[in-house]
């Protein structure tokens, strides 16, 4: 019976998806996700502004957690996957690649974009009757970023890379 089947064209897909994620990252985090108009007051919120407001209100630990899980960890993962794919395409199965693979496997667990998407949807549903809410371009980019991240989690496979790292180490030890 088959226990494991490598994903097809994992490196090219991983590179394409992580580069797409890096392109979507800036507008998803810095453009308004929602604009509220309640009682004559307009307020446009972004992901970065949400973390900043938590910090300003004294919830520094919550701000740090939100910043890390919604901004820093996903960005680091996109950069790492891009670097891993580029090193593999250059046939560089060396110590930096091993280090990047290990860090990526740990960072992977902390990116929680889907949790923040759920929070945005709950806030939208709860506040829709209280005033006028408009979804912004940041929401479109954030949704695209979430889709690309999910696809990358499904399609990017590190098992063949680890096998080639092992083969490269075996060749070096045979010398």
């Amino acid at each position: 019976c088959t226990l494991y089947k490598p994903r097809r064209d994992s490196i090219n897909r991983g590179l394409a998806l992580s580069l797409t994620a890096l392109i979507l990252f800036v507008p998803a985090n810095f453009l308004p996700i929602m604009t509220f108009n309640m009682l004559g007051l307009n307020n446009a919120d972004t992901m970065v502004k949400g973390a900043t407001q938590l910090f300003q209100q004294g919830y520094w630990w919550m701000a740090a957690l939100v910043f890390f899980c919604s901004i820093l960890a996903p960005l680091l993962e996109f950069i790492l996957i891009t670097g891993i794919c580029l090193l593999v395409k250059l046939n560089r199965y060396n110590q930096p690649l091993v280090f990047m693979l290990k860090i990526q496997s740990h960072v992977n667990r902390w990116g929680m974009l889907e949790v923040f998407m759920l929070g945005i949807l709950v806030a939208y549903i709860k506040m829709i009757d209280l005033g006028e809410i408009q979804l912004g371009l940041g929401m479109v980019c954030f949704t695209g970023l979430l889709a690309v991240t999910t696809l990358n989690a499904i399609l990017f496979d590190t098992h063949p890379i680890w096998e080639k790292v092992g083969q490269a180490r075996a060749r070096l030890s045979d010398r």
Side-chain angles (χ1 to χ4, degrees):
C1 110
T2 303
L3 295 178
Y4 173 75
K5 184 178 177 185
R7 293 179 185 96
R8 201 171 47 111
D9 204 17
S10 175
I11 301 305
N12 287 328
R13 289 178 181 183
L15 183 59
L17 290 169
S18 60
L19 288 173
T20 303
L22 286 170
I23 292 168
L24 289 172
F25 182 82
V26 172
N29 284 293
F30 291 98
L31 289 178
I33 290 177
M34 282 192 251
T35 303
F36 306 104
N37 185 356
M38 293 182 203
L39 303 173
L41 299 172
N42 283 333
N43 188 18
D45 286 322
T46 67
M47 291 297 285
V48 173
K49 187 176 178 185
T52 304
Q53 286 177 342
L54 284 170
F55 183 78
Q56 290 171 346
Q57 293 173 1
Y59 299 107
W60 60 269
W61 55 272
M62 182 70 77
L65 188 63
V66 167
F67 180 78
F68 182 75
C69 293
S70 69
I71 298 169
L72 191 60
L75 177 62
L76 187 56
E77 184 172 12
F78 306 144
I79 291 170
L80 285 168
I81 291 174
T82 302
I84 289 166
C85 292
L86 290 173
L87 286 173
V88 168
K89 286 180 102 29
L90 294 171
N91 288 322
R92 307 271 190 221
Y93 297 99
N94 51 18
Q95 195 58 38
L97 177 64
V98 171
F99 179 73
M100 291 169 75
L101 284 165
K102 288 179 181 179
I103 297 297
Q104 188 268 335
S105 72
H106 293 297
V107 170
N108 181 334
R109 299 180 189 125
W110 283 96
M112 299 183 187
L113 295 178
E114 60 280 348
V115 173
F116 290 98
M117 177 60 94
L118 184 61
I120 291 167
L121 291 175
V122 168
Y124 179 77
I125 291 168
K126 291 255 185 202
M127 300 174 86
I128 200 161
D129 293 333
L130 299 176
E132 184 181 332
I133 299 176
Q134 294 177 338
L135 299 177
L137 185 57
M139 183 65 168
V140 174
C141 293
F142 188 78
T143 303
L145 185 63
L146 179 61
V148 167
T149 303
T150 303
L151 281 172
N152 214 356
I154 293 167
L155 299 174
F156 182 66
D157 188 6
T158 59
H159 289 90
I161 301 170
W162 280 113
E163 286 178 13
K164 291 204 178 194
V165 166
Q167 292 168 0
R169 286 186 173 176
R171 281 193 304 270
L172 285 175
S173 65
D174 288 344
R175 291 181 185 177

